[in-house]
Amino acid sequence: MSDETPICSAKSCRTDAVWVLAWNNPKIHTPERRKTWLACEEHREHLSQFLGVRGFLKDVVLLREWQKSAS
């Protein structure tokens, strides 16, 4: 991970990310593959719903916990 502060993936949002939304598109990704979006508190629910309605959302984890598990 870089030294830059991770920011929210919502369009035009420049707020620091707090959450990691792990997802995959089962039509194009293997079941174990995880792509990620980052979310601030304000956009976590909206982004989760966007992915969830499509059946893509696999997990929502605090960024600090995601970073711990990656190291």
Side-chain angles (χ1 to χ4, degrees):
M1 189 157 264
S2 74
D3 290 336
E4 293 181 30
T5 302
I7 60 165
C8 181
S9 298
K11 186 176 181 178
S12 301
C13 184
R14 306 308 299 164
T15 304
D16 291 352
V18 178
W19 298 94
V20 174
L21 286 64
W23 64 278
N24 81 3
N25 180 340
K27 291 182 181 178
I28 60 175
H29 300 127
T30 58
E32 65 279 352
R33 172 89 188 265
R34 292 295 179 266
K35 306 225 3 135
T36 58
W37 281 357
L38 301 176
C40 64
E41 287 292 345
E42 180 181 350
H43 292 111
R44 181 187 62 85
E45 187 62 31
H46 172 75
L47 293 174
S48 293
Q49 286 179 358
F50 179 89
L51 293 168
V53 114
R54 290 159 178 77
F56 294 175
L57 186 63
K58 301 302 178 194
D59 206 2
V60 178
V61 181
L62 283 167
L63 178 60
R64 67 178 172 265
E65 297 300 321
W66 185 270
Q67 291 170 325
K68 277 188 213 175
S69 69
S71 43

